Every structure is written in structure tokens, then in C-alpha cells.
PDB file of all heavy atoms in Angstrom:
ATOM      1  N   LEU A   1     114.128 144.552 112.519  1.00 95.00           N
ATOM      2  CA  LEU A   1     113.173 144.144 111.485  1.00 95.00           C
ATOM      3  C   LEU A   1     111.914 143.535 112.095  1.00 95.00           C
ATOM      4  O   LEU A   1     110.787 143.856 111.688  1.00 95.00           O
ATOM      5  CB  LEU A   1     113.841 143.157 110.528  1.00 95.00           C
ATOM      6  CG  LEU A   1     112.972 142.638 109.375  1.00 95.00           C
ATOM      7  CD1 LEU A   1     112.478 143.787 108.511  1.00 95.00           C
ATOM      8  CD2 LEU A   1     113.748 141.626 108.532  1.00 95.00           C
ATOM      9  N   HIS A   2     112.085 142.679 113.115  1.00 95.00           N
ATOM     10  CA  HIS A   2     110.922 142.018 113.705  1.00 95.00           C
ATOM     11  C   HIS A   2     110.094 142.974 114.555  1.00 95.00           C
ATOM     12  O   HIS A   2     108.861 142.833 114.623  1.00 95.00           O
ATOM     13  CB  HIS A   2     111.373 140.801 114.522  1.00 95.00           C
ATOM     14  CG  HIS A   2     111.696 139.616 113.664  1.00 95.00           C
ATOM     15  ND1 HIS A   2     110.740 138.730 113.227  1.00 95.00           N
ATOM     16  CD2 HIS A   2     112.875 139.190 113.134  1.00 95.00           C
ATOM     17  CE1 HIS A   2     111.305 137.799 112.479  1.00 95.00           C
ATOM     18  NE2 HIS A   2     112.603 138.057 112.409  1.00 95.00           N
ATOM     19  N   VAL A   3     110.726 143.958 115.168  1.00 95.00           N
ATOM     20  CA  VAL A   3     109.960 144.981 115.888  1.00 95.00           C
ATOM     21  C   VAL A   3     109.114 145.779 114.901  1.00 95.00           C
ATOM     22  O   VAL A   3     107.932 146.062 115.152  1.00 95.00           O
ATOM     23  CB  VAL A   3     110.903 145.904 116.690  1.00 95.00           C
ATOM     24  CG1 VAL A   3     110.137 147.118 117.219  1.00 95.00           C
ATOM     25  CG2 VAL A   3     111.532 145.150 117.860  1.00 95.00           C
ATOM     26  N   GLU A   4     109.692 146.131 113.755  1.00 94.00           N
ATOM     27  CA  GLU A   4     108.942 146.880 112.745  1.00 94.00           C
ATOM     28  C   GLU A   4     107.792 146.049 112.182  1.00 94.00           C
ATOM     29  O   GLU A   4     106.702 146.572 111.920  1.00 94.00           O
ATOM     30  CB  GLU A   4     109.882 147.336 111.619  1.00 94.00           C
ATOM     31  CG  GLU A   4     110.735 148.526 111.964  1.00 94.00           C
ATOM     32  CD  GLU A   4     109.917 149.745 112.310  1.00 94.00           C
ATOM     33  OE1 GLU A   4     108.834 149.941 111.718  1.00 94.00           O
ATOM     34  OE2 GLU A   4     110.339 150.516 113.193  1.00 94.00           O
ATOM     35  N   ARG A   5     108.010 144.769 111.960  1.00 94.00           N
ATOM     36  CA  ARG A   5     106.931 143.908 111.473  1.00 94.00           C
ATOM     37  C   ARG A   5     105.794 143.828 112.494  1.00 94.00           C
ATOM     38  O   ARG A   5     104.606 143.855 112.121  1.00 94.00           O
ATOM     39  CB  ARG A   5     107.470 142.504 111.182  1.00 94.00           C
ATOM     40  CG  ARG A   5     108.287 142.408 109.892  1.00 94.00           C
ATOM     41  CD  ARG A   5     108.793 140.991 109.692  1.00 94.00           C
ATOM     42  NE  ARG A   5     109.411 140.823 108.375  1.00 94.00           N
ATOM     43  CZ  ARG A   5     109.942 139.687 107.956  1.00 94.00           C
ATOM     44  NH1 ARG A   5     109.931 138.608 108.735  1.00 94.00           N
ATOM     45  NH2 ARG A   5     110.481 139.603 106.744  1.00 94.00           N
ATOM     46  N   SER A   6     106.158 143.752 113.771  1.00 93.00           N
ATOM     47  CA  SER A   6     105.126 143.701 114.819  1.00 93.00           C
ATOM     48  C   SER A   6     104.357 145.007 114.892  1.00 93.00           C
ATOM     49  O   SER A   6     103.137 145.023 115.099  1.00 93.00           O
ATOM     50  CB  SER A   6     105.774 143.388 116.175  1.00 93.00           C
ATOM     51  OG  SER A   6     106.427 142.132 116.141  1.00 93.00           O
ATOM     52  N   LEU A   7     105.048 146.132 114.713  1.00 92.00           N
ATOM     53  CA  LEU A   7     104.371 147.434 114.716  1.00 92.00           C
ATOM     54  C   LEU A   7     103.448 147.575 113.510  1.00 92.00           C
ATOM     55  O   LEU A   7     102.364 148.157 113.614  1.00 92.00           O
ATOM     56  CB  LEU A   7     105.425 148.557 114.712  1.00 92.00           C
ATOM     57  CG  LEU A   7     106.181 148.782 116.030  1.00 92.00           C
ATOM     58  CD1 LEU A   7     107.372 149.709 115.800  1.00 92.00           C
ATOM     59  CD2 LEU A   7     105.268 149.357 117.093  1.00 92.00           C
ATOM     60  N   ALA A   8     103.858 147.032 112.361  1.00 90.00           N
ATOM     61  CA  ALA A   8     103.025 147.118 111.162  1.00 90.00           C
ATOM     62  C   ALA A   8     101.738 146.315 111.315  1.00 90.00           C
ATOM     63  O   ALA A   8     100.693 146.686 110.767  1.00 90.00           O
ATOM     64  CB  ALA A   8     103.808 146.639 109.946  1.00 90.00           C
ATOM     65  N   ARG A   9     101.794 145.204 112.081  1.00 90.00           N
ATOM     66  CA  ARG A   9     100.607 144.361 112.292  1.00 90.00           C
ATOM     67  C   ARG A   9      99.804 144.795 113.520  1.00 90.00           C
ATOM     68  O   ARG A   9      98.857 144.110 113.906  1.00 90.00           O
ATOM     69  CB  ARG A   9     101.037 142.899 112.451  1.00 90.00           C
ATOM     70  CG  ARG A   9     101.696 142.302 111.215  1.00 90.00           C
ATOM     71  CD  ARG A   9     101.770 140.783 111.315  1.00 90.00           C
ATOM     72  NE  ARG A   9     102.439 140.347 112.533  1.00 90.00           N
ATOM     73  CZ  ARG A   9     103.733 140.063 112.621  1.00 90.00           C
ATOM     74  NH1 ARG A   9     104.505 140.190 111.538  1.00 90.00           N
ATOM     75  NH2 ARG A   9     104.258 139.672 113.754  1.00 90.00           N
ATOM     76  N   ASP A  10     100.239 145.891 114.160  1.00 88.00           N
ATOM     77  CA  ASP A  10      99.583 146.394 115.375  1.00 88.00           C
ATOM     78  C   ASP A  10      99.671 145.411 116.533  1.00 88.00           C
ATOM     79  O   ASP A  10      98.837 145.443 117.450  1.00 88.00           O
ATOM     80  CB  ASP A  10      98.117 146.734 115.107  1.00 88.00           C
ATOM     81  CG  ASP A  10      97.966 147.988 114.265  1.00 88.00           C
ATOM     82  OD1 ASP A  10      98.853 148.858 114.366  1.00 88.00           O
ATOM     83  OD2 ASP A  10      96.993 148.080 113.504  1.00 88.00           O
ATOM     84  N   VAL A  11     100.669 144.537 116.515  1.00 90.00           N
ATOM     85  CA  VAL A  11     100.897 143.635 117.646  1.00 90.00           C
ATOM     86  C   VAL A  11     101.502 144.409 118.817  1.00 90.00           C
ATOM     87  O   VAL A  11     101.225 144.110 119.990  1.00 90.00           O
ATOM     88  CB  VAL A  11     101.828 142.477 117.223  1.00 90.00           C
ATOM     89  CG1 VAL A  11     102.176 141.591 118.416  1.00 90.00           C
ATOM     90  CG2 VAL A  11     101.183 141.663 116.110  1.00 90.00           C
ATOM     91  N   LEU A  12     102.330 145.407 118.505  1.00 89.00           N
ATOM     92  CA  LEU A  12     102.947 146.256 119.524  1.00 89.00           C
ATOM     93  C   LEU A  12     102.393 147.665 119.404  1.00 89.00           C
ATOM     94  O   LEU A  12     102.066 148.129 118.301  1.00 89.00           O
ATOM     95  CB  LEU A  12     104.472 146.290 119.356  1.00 89.00           C
ATOM     96  CG  LEU A  12     105.233 144.964 119.481  1.00 89.00           C
ATOM     97  CD1 LEU A  12     106.710 145.195 119.186  1.00 89.00           C
ATOM     98  CD2 LEU A  12     105.070 144.371 120.867  1.00 89.00           C
ATOM     99  N   SER A  13     102.318 148.352 120.535  1.00 89.00           N
ATOM    100  CA  SER A  13     101.944 149.763 120.510  1.00 89.00           C
ATOM    101  C   SER A  13     103.148 150.601 120.095  1.00 89.00           C
ATOM    102  O   SER A  13     104.299 150.151 120.186  1.00 89.00           O
ATOM    103  CB  SER A  13     101.459 150.202 121.892  1.00 89.00           C
ATOM    104  OG  SER A  13     102.517 150.150 122.833  1.00 89.00           O
ATOM    105  N   GLU A  14     102.902 151.829 119.631  1.00 90.00           N
ATOM    106  CA  GLU A  14     103.992 152.705 119.201  1.00 90.00           C
ATOM    107  C   GLU A  14     104.954 153.003 120.357  1.00 90.00           C
ATOM    108  O   GLU A  14     106.163 153.048 120.178  1.00 90.00           O
ATOM    109  CB  GLU A  14     103.423 154.016 118.648  1.00 90.00           C
ATOM    110  CG  GLU A  14     102.787 153.895 117.282  1.00 90.00           C
ATOM    111  CD  GLU A  14     103.790 153.586 116.187  1.00 90.00           C
ATOM    112  OE1 GLU A  14     104.985 153.925 116.344  1.00 90.00           O
ATOM    113  OE2 GLU A  14     103.383 153.009 115.165  1.00 90.00           O
ATOM    114  N   GLY A  15     104.395 153.201 121.559  1.00 91.00           N
ATOM    115  CA  GLY A  15     105.243 153.501 122.710  1.00 91.00           C
ATOM    116  C   GLY A  15     106.166 152.356 123.064  1.00 91.00           C
ATOM    117  O   GLY A  15     107.360 152.556 123.306  1.00 91.00           O
ATOM    118  N   PHE A  16     105.603 151.120 123.094  1.00 93.00           N
ATOM    119  CA  PHE A  16     106.435 149.956 123.437  1.00 93.00           C
ATOM    120  C   PHE A  16     107.432 149.659 122.316  1.00 93.00           C
ATOM    121  O   PHE A  16     108.565 149.242 122.580  1.00 93.00           O
ATOM    122  CB  PHE A  16     105.552 148.742 123.701  1.00 93.00           C
ATOM    123  CG  PHE A  16     106.294 147.581 124.299  1.00 93.00           C
ATOM    124  CD1 PHE A  16     106.892 147.681 125.537  1.00 93.00           C
ATOM    125  CD2 PHE A  16     106.411 146.387 123.587  1.00 93.00           C
ATOM    126  CE1 PHE A  16     107.594 146.623 126.089  1.00 93.00           C
ATOM    127  CE2 PHE A  16     107.106 145.313 124.136  1.00 93.00           C
ATOM    128  CZ  PHE A  16     107.696 145.429 125.387  1.00 93.00           C
ATOM    129  N   GLY A  17     107.010 149.882 121.063  1.00 93.00           N
ATOM    130  CA  GLY A  17     107.939 149.692 119.946  1.00 93.00           C
ATOM    131  C   GLY A  17     109.106 150.650 120.025  1.00 93.00           C
ATOM    132  O   GLY A  17     110.256 150.268 119.770  1.00 93.00           O
ATOM    133  N   LEU A  18     108.829 151.908 120.385  1.00 93.00           N
ATOM    134  CA  LEU A  18     109.896 152.892 120.551  1.00 93.00           C
ATOM    135  C   LEU A  18     110.832 152.494 121.680  1.00 93.00           C
ATOM    136  O   LEU A  18     112.061 152.661 121.582  1.00 93.00           O
ATOM    137  CB  LEU A  18     109.290 154.267 120.816  1.00 93.00           C
ATOM    138  CG  LEU A  18     110.270 155.420 121.047  1.00 93.00           C
ATOM    139  CD1 LEU A  18     111.164 155.622 119.829  1.00 93.00           C
ATOM    140  CD2 LEU A  18     109.527 156.706 121.392  1.00 93.00           C
ATOM    141  N   PHE A  19     110.273 151.936 122.763  1.00 95.00           N
ATOM    142  CA  PHE A  19     111.097 151.475 123.880  1.00 95.00           C
ATOM    143  C   PHE A  19     112.045 150.354 123.431  1.00 95.00           C
ATOM    144  O   PHE A  19     113.244 150.375 123.752  1.00 95.00           O
ATOM    145  CB  PHE A  19     110.200 150.986 125.020  1.00 95.00           C
ATOM    146  CG  PHE A  19     110.931 150.318 126.135  1.00 95.00           C
ATOM    147  CD1 PHE A  19     111.661 151.065 127.053  1.00 95.00           C
ATOM    148  CD2 PHE A  19     110.911 148.933 126.280  1.00 95.00           C
ATOM    149  CE1 PHE A  19     112.356 150.443 128.093  1.00 95.00           C
ATOM    150  CE2 PHE A  19     111.600 148.309 127.303  1.00 95.00           C
ATOM    151  CZ  PHE A  19     112.319 149.061 128.215  1.00 95.00           C
ATOM    152  N   LEU A  20     111.518 149.386 122.666  1.00 95.00           N
ATOM    153  CA  LEU A  20     112.358 148.277 122.181  1.00 95.00           C
ATOM    154  C   LEU A  20     113.436 148.784 121.228  1.00 95.00           C
ATOM    155  O   LEU A  20     114.593 148.333 121.287  1.00 95.00           O
ATOM    156  CB  LEU A  20     111.486 147.233 121.493  1.00 95.00           C
ATOM    157  CG  LEU A  20     110.518 146.448 122.387  1.00 95.00           C
ATOM    158  CD1 LEU A  20     109.685 145.489 121.539  1.00 95.00           C
ATOM    159  CD2 LEU A  20     111.270 145.681 123.469  1.00 95.00           C
ATOM    160  N   HIS A  21     113.071 149.719 120.354  1.00 94.00           N
ATOM    161  CA  HIS A  21     114.065 150.291 119.443  1.00 94.00           C
ATOM    162  C   HIS A  21     115.157 151.022 120.225  1.00 94.00           C
ATOM    163  O   HIS A  21     116.353 150.934 119.882  1.00 94.00           O
ATOM    164  CB  HIS A  21     113.394 151.260 118.472  1.00 94.00           C
ATOM    165  CG  HIS A  21     112.785 150.599 117.271  1.00 94.00           C
ATOM    166  ND1 HIS A  21     113.457 149.683 116.493  1.00 94.00           N
ATOM    167  CD2 HIS A  21     111.551 150.735 116.695  1.00 94.00           C
ATOM    168  CE1 HIS A  21     112.687 149.275 115.496  1.00 94.00           C
ATOM    169  NE2 HIS A  21     111.520 149.891 115.603  1.00 94.00           N
ATOM    170  N   SER A  22     114.778 151.742 121.255  1.00 95.00           N
ATOM    171  CA  SER A  22     115.759 152.491 122.054  1.00 95.00           C
ATOM    172  C   SER A  22     116.735 151.551 122.740  1.00 95.00           C
ATOM    173  O   SER A  22     117.956 151.790 122.735  1.00 95.00           O
ATOM    174  CB  SER A  22     115.038 153.359 123.085  1.00 95.00           C
ATOM    175  OG  SER A  22     114.163 154.271 122.464  1.00 95.00           O
ATOM    176  N   ILE A  23     116.214 150.456 123.326  1.00 95.00           N
ATOM    177  CA  ILE A  23     117.084 149.468 123.972  1.00 95.00           C
ATOM    178  C   ILE A  23     118.029 148.849 122.953  1.00 95.00           C
ATOM    179  O   ILE A  23     119.239 148.667 123.204  1.00 95.00           O
ATOM    180  CB  ILE A  23     116.246 148.364 124.656  1.00 95.00           C
ATOM    181  CG1 ILE A  23     115.395 148.960 125.788  1.00 95.00           C
ATOM    182  CG2 ILE A  23     117.138 147.248 125.184  1.00 95.00           C
ATOM    183  CD1 ILE A  23     116.195 149.573 126.913  1.00 95.00           C
ATOM    184  N   ASN A  24     117.497 148.558 121.770  1.00 95.00           N
ATOM    185  CA  ASN A  24     118.309 147.950 120.718  1.00 95.00           C
ATOM    186  C   ASN A  24     119.414 148.905 120.247  1.00 95.00           C
ATOM    187  O   ASN A  24     120.573 148.499 120.064  1.00 95.00           O
ATOM    188  CB  ASN A  24     117.408 147.565 119.542  1.00 95.00           C
ATOM    189  CG  ASN A  24     118.100 146.664 118.534  1.00 95.00           C
ATOM    190  OD1 ASN A  24     118.728 145.676 118.904  1.00 95.00           O
ATOM    191  ND2 ASN A  24     117.989 147.004 117.264  1.00 95.00           N
ATOM    192  N   LEU A  25     119.075 150.181 120.063  1.00 95.00           N
ATOM    193  CA  LEU A  25     120.059 151.158 119.604  1.00 95.00           C
ATOM    194  C   LEU A  25     121.128 151.417 120.662  1.00 95.00           C
ATOM    195  O   LEU A  25     122.315 151.577 120.340  1.00 95.00           O
ATOM    196  CB  LEU A  25     119.353 152.465 119.229  1.00 95.00           C
ATOM    197  CG  LEU A  25     118.480 152.400 117.969  1.00 95.00           C
ATOM    198  CD1 LEU A  25     117.669 153.684 117.819  1.00 95.00           C
ATOM    199  CD2 LEU A  25     119.329 152.173 116.732  1.00 95.00           C
ATOM    200  N   ILE A  26     120.720 151.457 121.932  1.00 95.00           N
ATOM    201  CA  ILE A  26     121.710 151.614 123.011  1.00 95.00           C
ATOM    202  C   ILE A  26     122.643 150.406 123.045  1.00 95.00           C
ATOM    203  O   ILE A  26     123.857 150.534 123.251  1.00 95.00           O
ATOM    204  CB  ILE A  26     120.994 151.801 124.359  1.00 95.00           C
ATOM    205  CG1 ILE A  26     120.264 153.146 124.385  1.00 95.00           C
ATOM    206  CG2 ILE A  26     121.988 151.723 125.524  1.00 95.00           C
ATOM    207  CD1 ILE A  26     119.368 153.340 125.594  1.00 95.00           C
ATOM    208  N   GLY A  27     122.070 149.219 122.822  1.00 95.00           N
ATOM    209  CA  GLY A  27     122.890 148.008 122.773  1.00 95.00           C
ATOM    210  C   GLY A  27     123.896 148.031 121.643  1.00 95.00           C
ATOM    211  O   GLY A  27     125.030 147.538 121.789  1.00 95.00           O
ATOM    212  N   ILE A  28     123.524 148.616 120.497  1.00 95.00           N
ATOM    213  CA  ILE A  28     124.449 148.692 119.362  1.00 95.00           C
ATOM    214  C   ILE A  28     125.686 149.495 119.721  1.00 95.00           C
ATOM    215  O   ILE A  28     126.805 149.161 119.305  1.00 95.00           O
ATOM    216  CB  ILE A  28     123.729 149.312 118.140  1.00 95.00           C
ATOM    217  CG1 ILE A  28     122.669 148.348 117.606  1.00 95.00           C
ATOM    218  CG2 ILE A  28     124.720 149.645 117.034  1.00 95.00           C
ATOM    219  CD1 ILE A  28     121.814 148.948 116.508  1.00 95.00           C
ATOM    220  N   LEU A  29     125.531 150.556 120.501  1.00 94.00           N
ATOM    221  CA  LEU A  29     126.674 151.385 120.873  1.00 94.00           C
ATOM    222  C   LEU A  29     127.439 150.850 122.075  1.00 94.00           C
ATOM    223  O   LEU A  29     128.671 151.008 122.153  1.00 94.00           O
ATOM    224  CB  LEU A  29     126.206 152.819 121.156  1.00 94.00           C
ATOM    225  CG  LEU A  29     125.661 153.620 119.965  1.00 94.00           C
ATOM    226  CD1 LEU A  29     125.269 155.017 120.410  1.00 94.00           C
ATOM    227  CD2 LEU A  29     126.674 153.692 118.832  1.00 94.00           C
ATOM    228  N   SER A  30     126.736 150.212 123.024  1.00 94.00           N
ATOM    229  CA  SER A  30     127.398 149.782 124.261  1.00 94.00           C
ATOM    230  C   SER A  30     128.007 148.390 124.170  1.00 94.00           C
ATOM    231  O   SER A  30     129.058 148.126 124.777  1.00 94.00           O
ATOM    232  CB  SER A  30     126.399 149.836 125.424  1.00 94.00           C
ATOM    233  OG  SER A  30     125.278 149.022 125.149  1.00 94.00           O
ATOM    234  N   PHE A  31     127.390 147.477 123.422  1.00 94.00           N
ATOM    235  CA  PHE A  31     127.897 146.102 123.348  1.00 94.00           C
ATOM    236  C   PHE A  31     129.331 146.031 122.809  1.00 94.00           C
ATOM    237  O   PHE A  31     130.194 145.393 123.430  1.00 94.00           O
ATOM    238  CB  PHE A  31     126.962 145.249 122.492  1.00 94.00           C
ATOM    239  CG  PHE A  31     127.478 143.859 122.230  1.00 94.00           C
ATOM    240  CD1 PHE A  31     127.536 142.916 123.249  1.00 94.00           C
ATOM    241  CD2 PHE A  31     127.922 143.489 120.965  1.00 94.00           C
ATOM    242  CE1 PHE A  31     128.032 141.640 123.014  1.00 94.00           C
ATOM    243  CE2 PHE A  31     128.415 142.222 120.718  1.00 94.00           C
ATOM    244  CZ  PHE A  31     128.463 141.289 121.744  1.00 94.00           C
ATOM    245  N   PRO A  32     129.667 146.681 121.678  1.00 94.00           N
ATOM    246  CA  PRO A  32     131.059 146.605 121.208  1.00 94.00           C
ATOM    247  C   PRO A  32     132.053 147.252 122.156  1.00 94.00           C
ATOM    248  O   PRO A  32     133.210 146.838 122.226  1.00 94.00           O
ATOM    249  CB  PRO A  32     131.020 147.331 119.861  1.00 94.00           C
ATOM    250  CG  PRO A  32     129.815 148.180 119.908  1.00 94.00           C
ATOM    251  CD  PRO A  32     128.819 147.459 120.754  1.00 94.00           C
ATOM    252  N   VAL A  33     131.604 148.266 122.908  1.00 93.00           N
ATOM    253  CA  VAL A  33     132.506 148.896 123.883  1.00 93.00           C
ATOM    254  C   VAL A  33     132.906 147.879 124.949  1.00 93.00           C
ATOM    255  O   VAL A  33     134.088 147.761 125.311  1.00 93.00           O
ATOM    256  CB  VAL A  33     131.835 150.124 124.525  1.00 93.00           C
ATOM    257  CG1 VAL A  33     132.704 150.680 125.643  1.00 93.00           C
ATOM    258  CG2 VAL A  33     131.565 151.190 123.473  1.00 93.00           C
ATOM    259  N   GLY A  34     131.910 147.135 125.458  1.00 92.00           N
ATOM    260  CA  GLY A  34     132.206 146.116 126.461  1.00 92.00           C
ATOM    261  C   GLY A  34     133.155 145.053 125.935  1.00 92.00           C
ATOM    262  O   GLY A  34     134.071 144.605 126.648  1.00 92.00           O
ATOM    263  N   VAL A  35     132.960 144.646 124.675  1.00 91.00           N
ATOM    264  CA  VAL A  35     133.826 143.618 124.092  1.00 91.00           C
ATOM    265  C   VAL A  35     135.243 144.145 123.924  1.00 91.00           C
ATOM    266  O   VAL A  35     136.225 143.473 124.280  1.00 91.00           O
ATOM    267  CB  VAL A  35     133.263 143.153 122.740  1.00 91.00           C
ATOM    268  CG1 VAL A  35     134.242 142.201 122.042  1.00 91.00           C
ATOM    269  CG2 VAL A  35     131.911 142.461 122.932  1.00 91.00           C
ATOM    270  N   VAL A  36     135.385 145.343 123.388  1.00 91.00           N
ATOM    271  CA  VAL A  36     136.716 145.911 123.137  1.00 91.00           C
ATOM    272  C   VAL A  36     137.485 146.110 124.442  1.00 91.00           C
ATOM    273  O   VAL A  36     138.696 145.838 124.518  1.00 91.00           O
ATOM    274  CB  VAL A  36     136.588 147.251 122.373  1.00 91.00           C
ATOM    275  CG1 VAL A  36     137.932 147.983 122.331  1.00 91.00           C
ATOM    276  CG2 VAL A  36     136.078 147.005 120.961  1.00 91.00           C
ATOM    277  N   LEU A  37     136.805 146.556 125.494  1.00 90.00           N
ATOM    278  CA  LEU A  37     137.485 146.841 126.759  1.00 90.00           C
ATOM    279  C   LEU A  37     137.809 145.585 127.561  1.00 90.00           C
ATOM    280  O   LEU A  37     138.654 145.629 128.463  1.00 90.00           O
ATOM    281  CB  LEU A  37     136.635 147.789 127.606  1.00 90.00           C
ATOM    282  CG  LEU A  37     136.408 149.192 127.031  1.00 90.00           C
ATOM    283  CD1 LEU A  37     135.551 150.028 127.967  1.00 90.00           C
ATOM    284  CD2 LEU A  37     137.728 149.896 126.744  1.00 90.00           C
ATOM    285  N   THR A  38     137.148 144.468 127.261  1.00 90.00           N
ATOM    286  CA  THR A  38     137.375 143.238 128.037  1.00 90.00           C
ATOM    287  C   THR A  38     138.187 142.184 127.285  1.00 90.00           C
ATOM    288  O   THR A  38     138.884 141.391 127.919  1.00 90.00           O
ATOM    289  CB  THR A  38     136.039 142.620 128.462  1.00 90.00           C
ATOM    290  OG1 THR A  38     135.214 142.397 127.310  1.00 90.00           O
ATOM    291  CG2 THR A  38     135.308 143.546 129.424  1.00 90.00           C
ATOM    292  N   VAL A  39     138.108 142.167 125.964  1.00 86.00           N
ATOM    293  CA  VAL A  39     138.838 141.162 125.174  1.00 86.00           C
ATOM    294  C   VAL A  39     140.220 141.710 124.845  1.00 86.00           C
ATOM    295  O   VAL A  39     140.356 142.681 124.104  1.00 86.00           O
ATOM    296  CB  VAL A  39     138.074 140.801 123.885  1.00 86.00           C
ATOM    297  CG1 VAL A  39     138.877 139.819 123.041  1.00 86.00           C
ATOM    298  CG2 VAL A  39     136.711 140.210 124.231  1.00 86.00           C
ATOM    299  N   SER A  40     141.253 141.093 125.377  1.00 83.00           N
ATOM    300  CA  SER A  40     142.613 141.610 125.212  1.00 83.00           C
ATOM    301  C   SER A  40     143.193 141.305 123.841  1.00 83.00           C
ATOM    302  O   SER A  40     144.135 141.969 123.391  1.00 83.00           O
ATOM    303  CB  SER A  40     143.531 141.017 126.287  1.00 83.00           C
ATOM    304  OG  SER A  40     143.544 139.595 126.189  1.00 83.00           O
ATOM    305  N   SER A  41     142.648 140.313 123.150  1.00 81.00           N
ATOM    306  CA  SER A  41     143.226 139.914 121.861  1.00 81.00           C
ATOM    307  C   SER A  41     142.815 140.831 120.711  1.00 81.00           C
ATOM    308  O   SER A  41     143.360 140.720 119.613  1.00 81.00           O
ATOM    309  CB  SER A  41     142.811 138.479 121.517  1.00 81.00           C
ATOM    310  OG  SER A  41     141.404 138.363 121.433  1.00 81.00           O
ATOM    311  N   ILE A  42     141.870 141.719 120.941  1.00 85.00           N
ATOM    312  CA  ILE A  42     141.451 142.619 119.869  1.00 85.00           C
ATOM    313  C   ILE A  42     142.417 143.794 119.778  1.00 85.00           C
ATOM    314  O   ILE A  42     142.794 144.386 120.789  1.00 85.00           O
ATOM    315  CB  ILE A  42     140.001 143.107 120.095  1.00 85.00           C
ATOM    316  CG1 ILE A  42     139.466 143.816 118.853  1.00 85.00           C
ATOM    317  CG2 ILE A  42     139.894 144.013 121.313  1.00 85.00           C
ATOM    318  CD1 ILE A  42     137.970 144.057 118.889  1.00 85.00           C
ATOM    319  N   THR A  43     142.874 144.103 118.577  1.00 83.00           N
ATOM    320  CA  THR A  43     143.846 145.179 118.371  1.00 83.00           C
ATOM    321  C   THR A  43     143.134 146.520 118.206  1.00 83.00           C
ATOM    322  O   THR A  43     141.933 146.560 117.879  1.00 83.00           O
ATOM    323  CB  THR A  43     144.686 144.904 117.112  1.00 83.00           C
ATOM    324  OG1 THR A  43     143.827 144.912 115.970  1.00 83.00           O
ATOM    325  CG2 THR A  43     145.379 143.550 117.214  1.00 83.00           C
TER     326      THR A  43
END
């Protein structure tokens, strides 16, 4: 949401905004994998 708000106000360039979105989306898929594989109490 805050990346989109910054892009709407032209605080960020489209290229840098896309880079931040890509990092965020990769984190959405990779972060839970790391938690599931390392936390033994999760079923």
C-alpha cells in the first residue's frame, strides 16, 4: 500500500517501484517456506 501511495505521488519512479514490489512478492512466497521448514512445532 505504501509503495503504491509513493508511486501515486511520484515520490518513487516506476522502475524502482516495480523493484520494491518484486522484492515484496518474492518475500511473500519465500518467508513462510523458511518458517515452515525451520519451526518444528508447526503441523
